[in-house]
Amino acid sequence: MVVVAEDLDTAELLCTTLELGGYRIRSATSGTEAVARPRDRRFDLVVLDLTLPDLEGLGRDRPPLAHRPPVLFLTAYDALGELLLRAAGPARRERQLAYLDLALDGSACQALRAGRALNLTPAEYRLLRYLLVNAHKVLSKEQIGRYVWGDFHGDNAIEQLVSRLRRKVDRDGPPLVHTRRGFGYRLGGGTTGRSE
């Protein structure tokens, strides 16, 4: 599925909501980029924000696509996640993820440590989910960036995101988020040269 929305906050909310529903998501920020995506890869659905400025006349002078995925158009909206999940069909149930006293409640999009809500941002939630799915494995900054944002945002962005997540997850308990210097990050007990 590809989500096309110019507003980055809206796109992040849509992508997170749909990923938590079990969908594999790619994003685009313009109509031009959205038209190019189906040529690169087959998508089951395109979610398209009708407020994009470059939509008018976008289909003119372009060869027809061999595969034309269905398109869900967004206009004025308040509850994006609920609207999309209903329109896109039944979501697959996300398996419960937990490690020691750290757990993700996929239905509420919430993370808990020892029963305390962590109040994560969507990007922090996606990072924690990725770390939990790959517990004890070292994940590179590039792997993390591609999972969280769909592309690599640079070392500094990843370091800041991991630092914010670490402050929330490890605030009241033994450290679970660790740095493997020169390699990346992992979730698990024990230390491997933790740094900010």
Side-chain angles (χ1 to χ4, degrees):
M1 181 183 306
V2 62
V3 171
V4 191
E6 185 179 34
D7 180 71
L8 294 179
D9 291 336
T10 299
E12 185 174 357
L13 174 61
L14 289 169
C15 291
T16 299
T17 302
L18 290 166
E19 283 173 349
L20 292 173
Y23 298 96
R24 292 184 58 93
I25 306 297
R26 294 287 180 261
S27 63
T29 57
S30 70
T32 303
E33 185 181 356
V35 168
R37 287 291 174 113
R39 297 180 194 283
D40 301 335
R41 173 176 188 171
R42 285 180 69 104
F43 290 99
D44 296 325
L45 178 68
V46 175
V47 179
L48 182 63
D49 184 350
L50 285 179
T51 64
L52 290 169
D54 67 340
L55 287 183
E56 189 174 335
L58 193 62
R60 294 181 189 145
D61 303 321
R62 290 183 181 270
L65 297 172
H67 170 66
R68 293 176 90 76
V71 178
L72 174 63
F73 294 102
L74 297 176
T75 55
Y77 39 80
D78 291 321
L80 294 173
E82 183 178 351
L83 167 68
L84 281 171
L85 288 176
R86 286 182 181 171
R92 297 183 293 276
R93 287 180 62 90
E94 177 182 338
R95 69 183 173 98
Q96 292 300 309
L97 296 173
Y99 184 88
L100 300 177
D101 62 350
L102 177 64
L104 289 187
D105 178 355
S107 62
C109 299
Q110 188 173 51
L112 305 167
R113 176 106 195 244
R116 174 180 60 88
L118 300 182
N119 299 317
L120 303 180
T121 66
E124 291 166 355
Y125 186 95
R126 284 197 300 274
L127 171 57
L128 181 57
R129 185 182 191 283
Y130 193 41
L131 289 168
L132 276 166
V133 167
N134 295 283
H136 297 290
K137 294 179 185 175
V138 176
L139 301 172
S140 71
K141 291 178 180 179
E142 185 173 352
Q143 287 174 307
I144 290 171
R146 293 197 185 285
Y147 182 84
V148 171
W149 294 297
D151 58 11
F152 185 57
H153 272 46
D155 288 353
N156 193 44
I158 304 297
E159 289 165 7
Q160 289 178 7
L161 179 63
V162 171
S163 180
R164 289 195 314 267
L165 178 66
R166 181 179 280 146
R167 282 195 297 270
K168 294 178 181 182
V169 169
D170 294 343
R171 188 184 85 184
D172 297 325
L176 292 179
V177 181
H178 303 281
T179 300
R180 178 87 187 273
R181 289 187 185 274
F183 292 94
Y185 303 94
R186 74 174 181 90
L187 184 132
T191 60
T192 57
R194 172 181 165 170
S195 66
E196 291 293 334

